[in-house]
Amino acid sequence: PTSNSDVQLSTLQGDVRPDFLRNETLAGIFRRTAERCAGKTAVQLLGTAQSLSYRELDRRSDKVAAALKSRGIGPGQFVGLWFRRSLDLHIGLLGIVKAGAAFIPFDADTPAGRVALSLADCGAPALLTHDAMGSKAIGVGVEVRLQHPLEVHAVELVAGLEIERAVVGVEI
């Protein structure tokens, strides 16, 4: 057991700088960067020629955000993010942030049961994934899937059967 005298608190030391405080969000910071650097590479997969410019990433993530918002997903909600390393991972993550929701990232090798438990624990209404993860996603719950050709589909997984509920029909 430790006594109160054994416990040390960590505190930040330094000047208080209210001029550093800004009322901005990650989505807003990205949008301003995309406007300023539209044609520059925003993300490139290491070891490949696959890349997206800021303009492309902004446009595609806007469509994911719109698809999520059309399903009532926004601030105060969580959305699972279950991808292999890909450009879609970046599109999905930024789309979730732009919708105002928080993302719950899952490694591609995470067992489906753990994903389902985590999503249920935080009350996440959706899971963003892509075709490469589709077979693992069966039984997890409701998802929005990025498919190739890239379209956003709203899919409800019921009793292990994939039933297409609605195609949002937004090419990203």
Side-chain angles (χ1 to χ4, degrees):
T2 61
S3 68
N4 286 344
S5 63
D6 294 334
V7 176
Q8 293 182 344
L9 298 176
S10 295
T11 58
L12 297 175
Q13 302 293 319
D15 295 334
V16 175
R17 297 289 308 266
D19 55 314
F20 285 169
L21 299 177
R22 296 183 185 161
N23 188 15
E24 57 189 359
T25 64
L26 179 58
I29 292 168
F30 179 82
R31 284 186 202 285
R32 286 189 299 281
T33 303
E35 288 169 4
R36 194 176 64 249
C37 305
K40 292 185 179 180
T41 300
V43 62
Q44 180 171 5
L45 292 182
L46 294 177
T48 74
Q50 296 179 20
S51 66
L52 288 173
S53 69
Y54 279 96
R55 179 184 301 110
E56 291 171 300
L57 181 55
D58 189 39
R59 181 182 59 81
R60 291 180 182 188
S61 61
D62 278 347
K63 291 185 177 185
V64 171
L68 292 172
K69 287 178 181 180
S70 75
R71 296 193 57 179
I73 297 170
Q77 294 182 301
F78 296 95
V79 175
L81 189 65
W82 197 18
F83 284 88
R84 297 204 179 283
R85 290 184 185 192
S86 65
L87 296 177
D88 292 345
L89 170 67
H90 299 278
I91 294 166
L93 187 152
L94 191 54
I96 293 168
V97 169
K98 285 180 173 184
F103 60 90
I104 308 293
F106 296 101
D107 184 82
D109 295 326
T110 303
R114 185 174 301 153
V115 172
L117 182 65
S118 298
L119 294 175
D121 191 43
C122 68
L127 169 66
L128 219 60
T129 187
H130 56 165
D131 282 345
M133 301 297 294
S135 62
K136 287 181 74 174
I138 291 176
V140 168
V142 176
E143 71 179 87
V144 175
R145 181 180 298 176
L146 302 181
Q147 296 184 335
H148 293 277
L150 289 173
E151 292 183 353
V152 179
H153 289 255
V155 176
E156 187 171 355
L157 302 172
V158 179
L161 298 174
E162 201 170 289
I163 301 168
E164 193 165 306
R165 188 170 59 148
V167 177
V168 178
V170 180
E171 287 190 16
I172 59 168

